[in-house]
Amino acid sequence: MGLPAGERHFLDLGDAGADVIAAMIADAIDRKAARTVWPKGQADADAPLAGRVLALVFEKNSTRTRVSFDIAMRQLGGTVLILEAGSSQLGRGETIADTARVLSRMVDAIMLRTDDHAKIEEMARYASVPVINGLTDRSHPCQIVADLLTVIEHNKALPGLEIAWFGDGNNVLHSILEAAGLMRFNVRVATPKGYEPDREFVEMARAGGAQVMLTDDAQEAARGADVLVTDTWISMGQADAEEKRVAMAPYQVNGALMELANKDALFLHCLPAHVGEEVSHDVFESEKSVVFDEAENRIHAQKSVLLWSFGLLG
Ligand code: CP
Ligand code: NVA
């Protein structure tokens, strides 16, 4: 049952591909629907990952990723253990390569949240079990599977969808752009000059057939958009520079910006949010805001990612 361990690393969305992402979303919808009234820690009827252990390795803070992977594994019948840099030998300089080889002897899969993307590539190179990206400075693919699930749940089809991003051209935007090329939706990116996303991700989206607008005009990006997305102006590990905050201020998603979007537009934010900075209080608390569905969907999306990693989906 399943592929040999280690063959299905999920470092970025392209590792799975469009068909698998579609299958992940479909499976997440089915599993979510099958357990609406069950206690959150109860295993799904088939408990497909019974006996499996996932290591959650954190070199950065987390609430959603940590809790949702834990609950996802419980619902799939498996268990997790949590390793934090500050309380493990990673924090004292043990190499990623050695950590990967040790953990591969002890657990069945590894999720890593780290800074430099090269570290997760090294983890995957040395691990003989599946490795999942729980966020790096470059990308956040698990978040985007949850985001796409959320959009679809709110009755929006992905092909041709107009998603608008406001603020910093960061890791979350990179994964949105990668997803756009795979799933054929369009992205309008409104950032101040100097804070654009990496060109590589823009090219990836365009190569896949997505239209990508790059602008420094937030209103231009919002006009006619179906989904408005933003994220913190200062990501983990970045300097909290006043200069950056000043540059970001015109990109706040607020009532005036939402007015320009389509009438049934949604607001997404991966959280944690800084209400009053990248999003206004009225938008964050409005009916258009589906940020807590999005947060819950991290569980359901990651169950699909885990099943794929273990060779049981797609
Ligand atoms: N969205 C997200 O990844 O949240 P955490 O940083 O709390 O895991
Ligand atoms: N861009 C943010 C996402 C947090 C989930 C960060 O990297 O800190």
Side-chain angles (χ1 to χ4, degrees):
M1 74 172 212
L3 290 176
E7 294 219 339
R8 288 189 169 191
H9 300 309
F10 188 70
L11 304 197
D12 275 306
L13 295 163
D15 294 334
D19 291 348
V20 167
I21 292 168
M24 284 177 178
I25 293 168
D27 197 64
I29 289 170
D30 289 348
R31 283 190 180 272
K32 184 176 177 180
R35 56 169 305 123
T36 50
V37 295
W38 293 12
K40 295 181 179 67
Q42 186 175 324
D44 289 351
D46 56 347
L49 296 187
R52 311 273 195 153
V53 184
L54 170 71
L56 299 174
V57 184
F58 289 99
E59 293 199 299
K60 284 179 170 177
N61 293 34
S62 170
T63 297
R64 278 145 291 272
T65 302
R66 175 177 176 151
V67 176
S68 60
F69 266 109
D70 189 334
I71 300 303
M73 277 302 279
R74 290 179 203 216
Q75 293 187 1
L76 293 171
T79 55
V80 300
L81 61 85
I82 294 172
L83 208 63
E84 286 168 308
S87 58
S88 68
Q89 299 293 6
L90 260 179
R92 295 183 59 251
E94 185 165 17
T95 64
I96 292 278
D98 288 355
T99 305
R101 287 179 285 187
V102 170
L103 289 179
S104 295
R105 302 288 184 104
M106 297 184 175
V107 302
D108 299 300
I110 302 166
M111 186 234 70
L112 174 63
R113 168 168 285 198
T114 188
D115 40 27
D116 187 352
H117 196 78
K119 288 191 187 174
I120 200 160
E121 289 173 340
E122 186 178 352
M123 182 74 96
R125 206 160 44 245
Y126 283 90
S128 53
V129 298
V131 173
I132 298 172
N133 179 357
L135 180 147
T136 66
D137 288 351
R138 172 186 148 100
S139 58
H140 196 4
C142 290
Q143 179 68 53
I144 301 321
V145 182
D147 290 6
L148 300 182
L149 167 60
T150 307
V151 164
I152 288 170
E153 266 186 340
H154 286 84
N155 302 316
K156 297 198 183 297
L158 295 182
L161 196 73
E162 297 288 336
I163 296 193
W165 176 273
F166 301 90
D168 192 24
N170 67 14
N171 46 3
V172 175
L173 173 60
H174 288 162
S175 290
I176 290 178
L177 286 166
E178 185 170 11
L182 294 168
M183 311 308 281
R184 294 291 183 93
F185 57 86
N186 302 323
V187 189
R188 296 112 171 273
V189 178
T191 65
K193 288 200 165 52
Y195 296 97
E196 294 90 353
D198 285 357
R199 202 73 213 174
E200 176 194 348
F201 285 94
V202 175
E203 298 309 332
M204 228 186 267
R206 288 183 175 151
Q211 291 169 25
V212 181
M213 173 202 286
L214 297 174
T215 177
D216 60 359
D217 180 348
Q219 299 195 345
E220 184 188 13
R223 222 166 273 125
D226 299 305
V227 180
L228 286 80
V229 195
T230 189
D231 186 13
T232 180
W233 293 336
I234 315 288
S235 284
M236 290 182 277
Q238 293 180 345
D240 188 349
E242 185 55 24
E243 183 193 342
K244 186 172 186 185
R245 289 181 177 279
V246 170
M248 291 292 156
Y251 298 85
Q252 183 192 68
V253 180
N254 53 33
L257 210 60
M258 286 302 283
E259 276 294 305
L260 298 173
N262 286 338
K263 284 285 155 281
D264 59 351
L266 300 174
F267 172 70
L268 293 184
H269 191 311
C270 64
L271 305 181
H274 305 79
V275 175
E277 294 184 9
E278 71 269 11
V279 57
S280 65
H281 182 267
D282 58 329
V283 168
F284 189 77
E285 297 296 344
S286 72
E287 289 198 343
K288 294 182 178 210
S289 170
V290 292
V291 298
F292 297 107
D293 291 341
E294 186 184 358
E296 177 192 331
N297 280 338
R298 293 293 302 279
I299 297 175
H300 308 293
Q302 275 149 208
K303 286 166 76 175
S304 295
V305 171
L306 286 161
L307 289 172
W308 176 77
S309 297
F310 280 102
L312 298 174
L313 188 153

